[in-house]
Amino acid sequence: MNKESITSYLDSLFEDPICELNYTKDYELVLSVMLSAQTTDKGVNRVTKELYKKYDSLEKLNTLSVKEIESYIKSIGFYRNKSLNFKGIVERLLEIGYVPNDRKFLESLPGVGRKTASVVLAHLFNEPSFAVDTHVYRVSKRLGITKEKDDVLKTEDKLKKFFNKDEWNRVNSQLVLFGRYYCTSKKPKCDRCPFNNKCKKR
Ligand code: SF4
Protein backbone atom coordinates (compact mmCIF):
# COMPACT_ATOMS: atom_id res chain seq x y z
CA MET A 1 0.00 0.00 0.00
CA ASN A 2 1.37 3.40 -0.84
CA LYS A 3 1.10 6.42 1.42
CA GLU A 4 -1.43 8.27 -0.72
CA SER A 5 -3.87 5.34 -0.83
CA ILE A 6 -3.66 4.97 2.94
CA THR A 7 -4.09 8.66 3.77
CA SER A 8 -6.91 9.09 1.30
CA TYR A 9 -8.83 6.11 2.70
CA LEU A 10 -8.26 7.25 6.29
CA ASP A 11 -9.43 10.77 5.35
CA SER A 12 -12.59 9.29 3.84
CA LEU A 13 -13.32 7.40 7.07
CA PHE A 14 -12.24 10.02 9.58
CA GLU A 15 -12.44 13.51 8.17
CA ASP A 16 -12.10 15.09 11.57
CA PRO A 17 -10.30 12.60 13.83
CA ILE A 18 -10.71 13.42 17.48
CA CYS A 19 -9.33 12.16 20.75
CA GLU A 20 -12.15 10.15 22.33
CA LEU A 21 -11.03 10.87 25.88
CA ASN A 22 -13.13 13.61 27.48
CA TYR A 23 -11.23 16.49 29.06
CA THR A 24 -11.64 20.22 29.51
CA LYS A 25 -8.34 21.05 31.22
CA ASP A 26 -4.81 20.30 30.02
CA TYR A 27 -3.94 18.30 33.16
CA GLU A 28 -7.10 16.23 32.74
CA LEU A 29 -5.77 14.98 29.41
CA VAL A 30 -2.50 13.90 31.05
CA LEU A 31 -4.43 12.06 33.78
CA SER A 32 -6.90 10.46 31.37
CA VAL A 33 -4.23 9.22 28.95
CA MET A 34 -2.36 7.68 31.90
CA LEU A 35 -5.62 6.04 33.06
CA SER A 36 -6.36 4.70 29.57
CA ALA A 37 -3.48 2.19 29.54
CA GLN A 38 -5.00 -1.23 28.83
CA THR A 39 -8.49 0.20 29.31
CA THR A 40 -10.99 1.64 26.85
CA ASP A 41 -11.46 5.38 26.50
CA LYS A 42 -15.15 4.84 27.27
CA GLY A 43 -14.22 3.21 30.57
CA VAL A 44 -11.95 6.13 31.45
CA ASN A 45 -14.60 8.71 30.50
CA ARG A 46 -17.10 6.91 32.68
CA VAL A 47 -14.94 7.16 35.80
CA THR A 48 -13.59 10.67 35.21
CA LYS A 49 -16.95 12.30 34.48
CA GLU A 50 -17.93 12.78 38.11
CA LEU A 51 -14.36 13.06 39.36
CA TYR A 52 -13.40 15.98 37.10
CA LYS A 53 -16.73 17.71 37.68
CA LYS A 54 -16.48 17.57 41.45
CA TYR A 55 -12.75 18.28 41.64
CA ASP A 56 -12.31 20.87 38.90
CA SER A 57 -8.79 22.10 39.68
CA LEU A 58 -5.44 20.58 40.53
CA GLU A 59 -5.78 22.05 44.03
CA LYS A 60 -9.09 20.26 44.56
CA LEU A 61 -7.81 16.99 43.09
CA ASN A 62 -4.88 17.22 45.46
CA THR A 63 -7.22 17.01 48.45
CA LEU A 64 -8.05 13.42 47.45
CA SER A 65 -6.21 10.56 49.09
CA VAL A 66 -5.07 7.56 47.04
CA LYS A 67 -7.87 5.52 48.62
CA GLU A 68 -10.44 8.12 47.59
CA ILE A 69 -9.09 8.16 44.04
CA GLU A 70 -9.35 4.36 44.03
CA SER A 71 -13.02 4.60 44.93
CA TYR A 72 -13.66 6.70 41.82
CA ILE A 73 -11.65 4.65 39.33
CA LYS A 74 -12.02 1.11 40.65
CA SER A 75 -13.97 -0.09 37.59
CA ILE A 76 -10.92 0.26 35.32
CA GLY A 77 -7.95 -2.08 35.07
CA PHE A 78 -4.90 -1.63 37.33
CA TYR A 79 -6.79 0.96 39.37
CA ARG A 80 -4.53 0.63 42.42
CA ASN A 81 -1.35 1.54 40.52
CA LYS A 82 -3.21 4.12 38.50
CA SER A 83 -4.50 5.79 41.69
CA LEU A 84 -0.94 6.12 42.95
CA ASN A 85 0.15 7.53 39.61
CA PHE A 86 -2.85 9.88 39.57
CA LYS A 87 -1.91 11.30 42.96
CA GLY A 88 1.74 11.61 41.92
CA ILE A 89 0.91 13.43 38.69
CA VAL A 90 -1.41 15.88 40.46
CA GLU A 91 1.30 16.68 43.03
CA ARG A 92 4.01 17.20 40.39
CA LEU A 93 1.81 19.37 38.16
CA LEU A 94 0.66 21.41 41.12
CA GLU A 95 4.30 22.23 41.91
CA ILE A 96 4.72 24.00 38.57
CA GLY A 97 1.08 24.95 37.99
CA TYR A 98 0.74 23.94 34.36
CA VAL A 99 1.40 21.18 31.82
CA PRO A 100 4.64 22.08 30.04
CA ASN A 101 5.49 21.40 26.41
CA ASP A 102 8.39 19.27 27.56
CA ARG A 103 8.70 15.56 26.74
CA LYS A 104 11.39 14.98 29.34
CA PHE A 105 9.24 16.43 32.12
CA LEU A 106 6.14 14.56 30.97
CA GLU A 107 7.99 11.24 30.84
CA SER A 108 9.23 11.86 34.38
CA LEU A 109 5.64 11.82 35.70
CA PRO A 110 4.52 8.57 37.34
CA GLY A 111 2.80 6.23 34.90
CA VAL A 112 3.67 8.41 31.90
CA GLY A 113 5.81 6.83 29.21
CA ARG A 114 6.74 7.74 25.67
CA LYS A 115 3.31 6.94 24.23
CA THR A 116 1.36 8.98 26.79
CA ALA A 117 3.75 11.92 26.44
CA SER A 118 3.35 11.79 22.64
CA VAL A 119 -0.45 11.93 22.91
CA VAL A 120 -0.26 14.92 25.26
CA LEU A 121 2.29 16.77 23.09
CA ALA A 122 0.21 16.19 19.96
CA HIS A 123 -3.15 17.18 21.42
CA LEU A 124 -2.16 20.04 23.71
CA PHE A 125 0.69 21.58 21.73
CA ASN A 126 0.27 20.26 18.20
CA GLU A 127 3.83 18.91 18.39
CA PRO A 128 4.39 16.43 15.55
CA SER A 129 4.42 13.05 17.29
CA PHE A 130 3.53 9.42 16.70
CA ALA A 131 2.06 7.59 19.69
CA VAL A 132 2.21 3.86 19.02
CA ASP A 133 -0.59 2.19 20.93
CA THR A 134 -1.88 -1.34 20.42
CA HIS A 135 -4.08 -0.27 17.46
CA VAL A 136 -1.35 1.66 15.65
CA TYR A 137 1.09 -1.19 16.25
CA ARG A 138 -1.27 -3.82 14.79
CA VAL A 139 -2.59 -1.76 11.86
CA SER A 140 0.88 -0.62 10.75
CA LYS A 141 1.88 -4.26 10.33
CA ARG A 142 -1.26 -5.20 8.44
CA LEU A 143 -0.80 -2.25 6.10
CA GLY A 144 2.76 -3.38 5.43
CA ILE A 145 4.36 -0.20 6.83
CA THR A 146 6.17 -2.21 9.49
CA LYS A 147 7.32 -5.79 9.84
CA GLU A 148 6.15 -8.46 12.27
CA LYS A 149 9.41 -8.33 14.20
CA ASP A 150 9.45 -4.53 14.65
CA ASP A 151 9.12 -3.35 18.23
CA VAL A 152 7.25 -0.21 19.29
CA LEU A 153 10.20 2.14 18.84
CA LYS A 154 11.03 0.74 15.42
CA THR A 155 7.34 1.08 14.51
CA GLU A 156 7.36 4.75 15.54
CA ASP A 157 10.52 5.33 13.54
CA LYS A 158 9.12 3.70 10.40
CA LEU A 159 5.80 5.54 10.66
CA LYS A 160 7.65 8.84 10.95
CA LYS A 161 9.60 8.06 7.81
CA PHE A 162 6.58 6.74 5.88
CA PHE A 163 4.28 9.73 6.52
CA ASN A 164 5.12 13.42 6.11
CA LYS A 165 5.82 15.24 9.36
CA ASP A 166 2.84 17.55 8.90
CA GLU A 167 0.61 14.45 8.65
CA TRP A 168 1.84 12.64 11.76
CA ASN A 169 -0.72 13.82 14.32
CA ARG A 170 -3.69 13.49 11.99
CA VAL A 171 -2.69 10.04 10.68
CA ASN A 172 -1.88 8.91 14.22
CA SER A 173 -5.40 9.72 15.41
CA GLN A 174 -6.88 8.14 12.27
CA LEU A 175 -4.91 4.91 12.71
CA VAL A 176 -6.12 4.63 16.31
CA LEU A 177 -9.73 5.02 15.19
CA PHE A 178 -9.23 2.69 12.20
CA GLY A 179 -7.86 0.02 14.54
CA ARG A 180 -10.61 0.61 17.08
CA TYR A 181 -13.58 0.48 14.71
CA TYR A 182 -12.52 -1.20 11.44
CA CYS A 183 -9.21 -3.03 11.53
CA THR A 184 -9.99 -4.55 14.90
CA SER A 185 -7.86 -7.21 16.53
CA LYS A 186 -10.55 -9.86 16.11
CA LYS A 187 -12.92 -9.97 13.15
CA PRO A 188 -11.69 -6.88 11.27
CA LYS A 189 -14.08 -5.46 8.68
CA CYS A 190 -12.00 -6.64 5.72
CA ASP A 191 -14.86 -6.95 3.23
CA ARG A 192 -15.22 -3.18 3.06
CA CYS A 193 -11.50 -2.42 3.18
CA PRO A 194 -9.75 -1.33 -0.04
CA PHE A 195 -6.54 -3.00 1.12
CA ASN A 196 -8.02 -6.46 1.49
CA ASN A 197 -6.11 -8.04 -1.37
CA LYS A 198 -2.74 -6.65 -0.31
CA CYS A 199 -3.16 -6.78 3.44
CA LYS A 200 -0.48 -8.63 5.41
CA LYS A 201 -3.15 -10.23 7.57
CA ARG A 202 -4.25 -12.41 4.65
S1 SF4 B 1 -8.04 -5.90 4.98
FE1 SF4 B 1 -8.79 -6.19 7.08
S2 SF4 B 1 -6.98 -6.60 8.35
FE2 SF4 B 1 -6.29 -5.70 6.39
S3 SF4 B 1 -6.12 -3.49 6.77
FE3 SF4 B 1 -8.16 -3.87 5.93
S4 SF4 B 1 -9.48 -4.16 7.73
FE4 SF4 B 1 -7.36 -4.38 8.41
Side-chain angles (χ1 to χ4, degrees):
M1 274 73 82
N2 64 36
K3 185 179 86 65
E4 283 67 32
S5 65
I6 293 172
T7 50
S8 113
Y9 183 55
L10 291 175
D11 282 344
S12 74
L13 291 178
F14 310 106
E15 192 187 343
D16 186 21
I18 50 154
C19 171
E20 294 189 321
L21 287 169
N22 296 336
Y23 67 97
T24 56
K25 313 256 173 43
D26 54 1
Y27 63 81
E28 289 178 355
L29 178 66
V30 181
L31 292 166
S32 286
V33 182
M34 179 278 292
L35 292 176
S36 71
Q38 303 185 52
T39 307
T40 63
D41 287 1
K42 273 187 190 157
V44 173
N45 290 339
R46 198 173 49 240
V47 300
T48 56
K49 189 176 176 189
E50 197 191 335
L51 183 58
Y52 292 163
K53 194 173 165 196
K54 202 163 165 191
Y55 300 89
D56 61 356
S57 67
L58 280 170
E59 287 78 5
K60 288 183 191 171
L61 282 173
N62 199 36
T63 64
L64 289 164
S65 68
V66 172
K67 281 278 166 219
E68 286 170 323
I69 297 167
E70 281 182 8
S71 71
Y72 277 95
I73 70 166
K74 63 183 177 217
S75 67
I76 63 172
F78 306 101
Y79 73 95
R80 287 210 167 89
N81 267 344
K82 287 177 181 175
S83 298
L84 280 170
N85 292 337
F86 192 104
K87 182 76 181 162
I89 290 173
V90 168
E91 285 173 353
R92 291 278 312 283
L93 289 179
L94 199 51
E95 280 170 18
I96 61 167
Y98 65 103
V99 179
N101 181 356
D102 180 344
R103 176 179 288 280
K104 205 168 160 201
F105 174 86
L106 292 171
E107 289 188 19
S108 75
L109 296 171
V112 175
R114 183 169 181 82
K115 187 203 78 179
T116 299
S118 294
V119 175
V120 170
L121 291 170
H123 287 279
L124 293 185
F125 304 109
N126 205 24
E127 288 288 341
S129 316
F130 236 116
V132 180
D133 72 353
T134 181
H135 300 301
V136 174
Y137 188 63
R138 179 181 66 255
V139 171
S140 302
K141 279 192 252 178
R142 290 177 175 175
L143 293 175
I145 301 169
T146 56
K147 295 212 177 338
E148 196 60 42
K149 62 177 171 41
D150 292 337
D151 62 12
V152 170
L153 275 180
K154 188 79 184 167
T155 299
E156 180 182 331
D157 189 46
K158 285 191 174 177
L159 285 164
K160 284 179 168 175
K161 287 184 178 129
F162 189 80
F163 294 101
N164 299 334
K165 195 168 184 177
D166 62 359
E167 297 172 322
W168 291 355
N169 291 350
R170 179 177 174 80
V171 173
N172 196 167
S173 298
Q174 290 172 322
L175 287 177
V176 171
L177 296 171
F178 183 52
R180 192 174 286 164
Y181 298 112
Y182 292 83
C183 190
T184 46
S185 171
K186 289 175 192 159
K187 297 189 184 168
K189 298 180 173 72
C190 303
D191 292 349
R192 287 186 251 156
C193 181
F195 310 124
N196 60 7
N197 53 4
K198 288 188 188 163
C199 176
K200 302 291 178 195
K201 183 174 183 290
R202 300 192 155 215

